[in-house]
Every structure is written in structure tokens, then in C-alpha cells.
Amino acid sequence: MLWRAMIVPRLPVCAVVISLSDNYYASLYPLLLAGSRVAPSQYAIGRLVETPEEIGVTIQAFLNQGPTLFVDTALVSGYDFVKNGAEAISQTIGSSGVNVTPVISDGWSADVLRPFLLNNDNDFISLNGHFNHWLLLAGDESTTITSSEIIQAPTNYR
């Protein structure tokens, strides 16, 4: 989901309006309108639930099925402003007995992450960093992993 703040000058004291939208990920051609990007959807995507009540019903339906997630292995990556969060995720699941492969620091290249992401079957993957809808930017902030690489990888992500 993409949170976006827009300044609306016609409202009293230039009120800030928050817009929650997934449209950016479904738009091939974002438009510039009044100095802001507008993302008209070309594909059908979106959240299945919107309100707190719908979220609660959905979570309860999941819990009623008696869900059990078995996690033995995990990959956690992070750098820059999400490094602390990646470290917390890694430590939390690692303390539960999960074998964690951490790629957490500034400066790692896509070649460092690539074998762990594309050639290992991890039960849990937490990638923390900068992304486009088709591209992962590595910790060195210059090398990338594309969605095509992930699609073509021998790893089973299901």
C-alpha cells in the first residue's frame, strides 16, 4: 500500500489529506496532475478488506481454520533506514529457533543476496529496502534483482 500526503491549498490552513492507494502498483503510466502523481489503474488489484471490521472478520476466519505456520528457515535482508527493522525481525524469529540467513548491512550487492533468494527454499522471506514493482534495489543502492529473475528462479516460493 502506498501512503501519500498531499497539500490541498483550498482547504483551511493548507490541510494535509492522506490518500491510501494501491493504484500505483497497477498503473503503467502515472500522470502528473497539479504537481502530484495520479496513478490510474490499468490492472485490477487492491485490498480485499478495507474497514477494521472487515479486517477483524478476515483474521478471525483465518484463525478459525486452526492455522499453523511451520518455519524452519528464513532470509532477512535490510539496509539504510530499514536496517534496524530487519535486525529486529531476524532476532525475533531467530530466538524462536528459526535458522535465519541475515543479509543486513549497508553496501551489500545484488550478487550477495541473489543465491540466498533465488536458489534456497526459505520458509520465510523478509526483504526490507527500496523497491519498484518489478525491481529490488540492493544495499549498495546500485545493483538490482528483477522480478524476471525471481520468476525464472528454481526456488519454489509457494
Side-chain angles (χ1 to χ4, degrees):
M1 287 179 252
L2 181 67
W3 282 94
R4 202 157 168 263
M6 298 180 294
I7 303 295
V8 182
R10 283 176 266 155
L11 295 177
V13 194
C14 290
V16 174
V17 176
I18 301 295
S19 171
L20 178 62
S21 176
D22 294 325
N23 288 353
Y24 179 80
Y25 301 107
S27 179
L28 297 175
Y29 310 103
L31 305 173
L32 193 59
L33 179 65
S36 293
R37 284 190 183 172
V38 177
S41 296
Q42 277 88 34
Y43 296 99
I45 68 163
R47 295 174 303 280
L48 297 176
V49 295
E50 295 286 337
T51 67
E53 293 77 23
E54 290 173 326
I55 293 168
V57 168
T58 302
I59 291 170
Q60 192 58 54
F62 176 74
L63 293 174
N64 289 344
Q65 295 175 16
T68 303
L69 302 176
F70 297 99
V71 177
D72 295 316
T73 60
L75 168 63
V76 180
S77 72
Y79 61 93
D80 197 22
F81 69 99
V82 292
K83 186 168 42 176
N84 290 345
E87 289 170 346
I89 293 167
S90 180
Q91 291 169 3
T92 300
I93 61 177
S95 68
S96 300
V98 174
N99 181 18
V100 179
T101 301
V103 181
I104 305 170
S105 66
D106 293 329
W108 51 265
S109 72
D111 286 338
V112 170
L113 181 63
R114 196 172 272 116
F116 301 120
L117 178 62
L118 304 180
N119 299 321
N120 288 353
D121 286 329
N122 292 290
D123 298 321
F124 178 85
I125 299 174
S126 177
L127 303 173
N128 303 279
H130 300 283
F131 297 87
N132 284 333
H133 61 283
W134 62 279
L135 187 79
L136 175 155
L137 183 63
D140 61 9
E141 298 192 21
S142 63
T143 58
T144 61
I145 297 175
T146 66
S147 59
S148 296
E149 290 180 78
I150 293 171
I151 291 168
Q152 296 168 4
T155 299
N156 180 1
Y157 294 104
R158 295 178 197 170

